[in-house]
Amino acid sequence: MSIFSTLSQKPWMADQALVDNEHMGKSMTLSLRKATLFLLLIVIAILFTLFSVAYIGRMAYGDWRTLPEPLLLWWNTAIMVFSSFSFYRANVNADHNNIKKTRIYLLVSGALTISFIVGQLFVWRELISFGYFVSTNPSYGFFYLLTALHILHLLGGLIAWLVVTLKSFTLKNDPVNFALKVNLCAIYWHFLLIVWAFLFVMLLLT
Amino acid sequence: MSESIVPESELEEVELYHAKSWWTEKVFTQDAKLIAVQYGLTAFAIGFVALVLSWFMRIQIAFPELSIISEGTYYQFITMHGMIMVVYLLTALFLGAFGNYLIPLMVGARDMVFPYLNMVSYWTYLVAVLVLFVSFFTPGGPTGAGWTLYPPQAILGGTPGQESGIILMLVSLCIFIVGFTMGGLNYVITILQARTRGMTLMRMPLTVWGIFTATVLALFAFPALFVSAVMMLFDKLLMTSFFMPALVEFGENLTYGGGSPILFQHLFWFFGHPEVYIVALPAFGIVSDLISVHARKNIFGFRMMVWAIVGIGALSFIVWAHHMYVSGMNPYFGFFFATTTLIIAVPTALKVYNWVLTLWKGNIHLTIPMLFCLAFIVTFLNGGLTGLFLGNVVVDVPLSDTYFVVAHFHMVMGIAPVLVILGAIYHWFPLITGRMLHDGMGRFHFWVTFIGSYLIYFPMHYLGFIGVPRRYYEMGQTEALYTSSAADLNVFITLAALAVGFAQLVFVFNVFWSAKKGIVAEKNPWKAASLEWQTPDQPPVHGNFGKELPVIYRWAYDYSVPGAEDDFIPQDVPNEKVKLAKGHSQLGVEST
């Protein structure tokens, strides 16, 4: 049922009441956690979009300098892709109730994510060694700001990753709930990969 | 979205939280009702600070010879008054307090879907409030940048509180937004996914519709404030030039250069204008429900009311630049925003008509909540009409820096929502505490607040028309700028403001006194049909609805239904169980 047909209902009418009485109380078939995650992702997407709008708005001024593109960023991007892929494999294995393999892929994902974060910090170090500080030019400022914000979101995800990974060691029953949690982590990681890809392309093009 | 095809087993997804100690039951509670009270008390406490600040400002304006506060302090008080009232009081009250209390009860849920997250949301809000409050005691005091925190002056020397006040303000806002996001996710998902059987979206009361739409707005708009706050923190602490242009201060070139203050204004108002509706939409919803209950009549044009809430919410994202006419902009740009501003008045006016038409031939009970609702309608109408003036570029430009604007926004988003909050407290106090608020004190509170507010803000329009500038600490003796009649009027306004302030003290006393010694409320004292009043216990206990969740058979507005013995039919009563009036063999199903 579309949102428009919902909004056109007349709840005071007797025939509509017969339909409404059968309603089970949910508007979407999604689970609570997944619905919440999707809403959170929308909010995060808006946050990054607004930063990007500010970025593009600030570019219009004359003092803007093109960003350097350290090679390491490409390596970091590859690591992020593998991390996301590893989460995909963890998700598939969790769905098949293969806890052992899930655990291995979870550990690989976590290790790759930490490598990505360390890699980004190395990029920062490289930029600083060239004298590109946060206040040198707004383009550098934005680079530090956006990458830091992305890292912060990954760190938040790592808390969830830690909980799920620890759970994989002590798991006795409740595999459905476990699979859902792995699934939510995987969605979050795929999303942060897309965000990074978007930021990376924006940084490359400008 | 799919309706009515959900497997029944999915409804039992949420486990009810059970406290294990006094601390987890009373302090670090996860019960939405108690979290609501915590939100409410914290918001009122910090709101009271903002109220006291306004008294100091008013005394300074009326009696400048007393020099009760210095110039810098005046700006600090203006800033803190504005920011506290808009964000830390109104937003927190409508969404944190009313949202937490009413959403689960009105949609038939036992609690919010993520109680732990809900608890963390409140404590994060409290930290935000404390960080802001601490700035009163830091070197240099709180920021005096004005509540809009416009750069470059917000972080430059010469602006009060530029040492640490501005940093604490920005950090506090970021913390607030993080805390709100946790709560907001909870409110939206609870409404979408945790309603009881039979509770379709269109059977939800308008209060829930208002809170729901406002929460969505807040989730989408607050990131803009977050972005501007973080970027300004970078400018202040790391000397970036996102917003800061090249500047010379005290004869020295600053390291800033090339930044765009206008960029900040766009980001700020992209949050700032939806914020008006984040405050207004829950007020619209609540006032609709209160009018319906106390006029014993179904709300007129229910569907249009829902559409108007959703429409206003959507439109609120494309009007923001009408706050920036005086910053200068392309005339086509101004034309666009003036047009959208006038368009948003259409669904808003529609709501006002529907409230009035709900009252038409209603069985109006002049209870205190109803008095506040009537006061709201006229006050909102007043403030809304002056908004139409200011939405036009040619009218706004000369009036923008005068008291006309102060009068407009205080009427429309200060007094009007506060009147709803007060009416709502009188309405739901029996549900929350099990006791009635004292009627005599309540009526005194109402009349002084209502008439007093008009005595404060009506003359301000006149001050604006004759060109008295806002934001001035002292007007000086220039007769051309500040006539003796304006000076006398300012004295009058100040006296009215102090009287209204005193009435709020009576209200606070009434709340605490009645919570202990008030008359014990009978069950569902207003004879309301909505679900929050149908709980087995009053006040509702943890879990809200006893062993079984209620099943919903009707919308929330079955008042004065022909053929029914009572003049209301609760939402959880099926047609077969409705007592018929004498001489009636059938319940008449009325449509509007």
Side-chain angles (χ1 to χ4, degrees), chain B residues 203-227:
Chain B
R203 275 180 170 178
M204 295 192 309
L206 287 164
T207 296
V208 182
W209 269 106
I211 292 173
F212 172 72
T213 314
T215 307
V216 174
L217 290 194
L219 285 172
F220 293 175
F222 270 121
L225 181 64
F226 189 87
V227 169

Side-chain angles (χ1 to χ4, degrees), chain B residues 310-587:
Chain B
V310 176
I312 291 168
L315 285 169
S316 73
F317 280 101
I318 50 167
V319 295
W320 79 89
H322 68 211
H323 296 274
M324 297 164 53
Y325 292 150
V326 288
S327 304
M329 60 178 71
N330 184 310
Y332 290 112
F333 205 53
F335 173 76
F336 172 79
F337 282 101
T339 309
T340 52
T341 303
L342 298 183
I343 290 172
I344 207 170
V346 175
T348 314
L350 192 146
K351 295 193 82 68
V352 177
Y353 291 131
N354 283 2
W355 291 323
V356 175
L357 287 166
T358 304
L359 292 168
W360 177 254
K361 291 189 176 177
N363 178 10
I364 297 173
H365 292 42
L366 287 176
T367 55
I368 297 173
M370 179 56 114
L371 290 175
F372 275 105
C373 289
L374 298 174
F376 163 81
I377 293 173
V378 287
T379 308
F380 182 73
L381 186 63
N382 251 305
L385 286 175
T386 51
L388 288 179
F389 284 49
L390 294 170
N392 291 285
V393 185
V394 287
V395 185
D396 181 77
V397 169
L399 285 176
S400 184
D401 282 330
T402 72
Y403 267 92
F404 190 86
V405 172
V406 181
H408 158 69
F409 69 69
H410 275 91
M411 282 290 232
V412 80
M413 79 164 295
I415 299 305
V418 165
L419 289 171
V420 175
I421 287 171
L422 295 173
I425 291 173
Y426 282 94
H427 180 80
W428 280 300
F429 191 81
L431 183 70
I432 298 167
T433 65
R435 292 174 186 273
M436 304 296 285
L437 277 165
H438 188 272
D439 196 66
M441 278 191 270
R443 283 176 193 276
F444 171 80
H445 173 223
F446 166 75
W447 285 110
V448 177
T449 304
F450 176 49
I451 295 175
S453 300
Y454 269 74
L455 295 180
I456 297 169
Y457 295 109
F458 236 67
M460 271 191 203
H461 293 91
Y462 164 74
L463 289 179
F465 274 139
I466 62 169
V468 177
R470 62 183 170 133
R471 307 193 187 100
Y472 278 33
Y473 158 77
E474 193 180 353
M475 302 298 168
Q477 302 301 319
T478 314
E479 184 68 19
L481 177 71
Y482 192 56
T483 60
S484 58
S485 68
D488 291 343
L489 210 48
N490 263 331
V491 173
F492 176 80
I493 289 171
T494 296
L495 295 176
L498 293 174
V500 171
F502 170 73
Q504 307 319 304
L505 298 179
V506 174
F507 169 67
V508 172
F509 173 77
N510 193 2
V511 166
F512 286 104
W513 184 84
S514 299
K516 286 272 180 205
K517 298 188 175 173
I519 299 168
V520 176
E522 59 178 282
K523 186 87 171 57
N524 192 0
W526 311 115
K527 302 193 186 309
S530 49
L531 198 56
E532 81 274 18
W533 293 100
Q534 319 309 329
T535 54
D537 306 281
Q538 185 177 294
V541 294
H542 187 49
N544 293 348
F545 292 102
K547 279 187 179 174
E548 282 189 24
L549 285 173
V551 179
I552 303 307
Y553 296 96
R554 60 192 70 250
W555 68 337
Y557 302 99
D558 265 346
Y559 293 102
S560 309
V561 176
E565 186 179 70
D566 295 323
D567 69 348
F568 73 109
I569 308 175
Q571 279 191 283
D572 59 344
V573 174
N575 278 351
E576 306 82 70
K577 290 192 179 172
V578 177
K579 281 185 194 167
L580 296 174
K582 279 183 184 173
H584 285 81
S585 59
Q586 193 185 348
L587 198 62

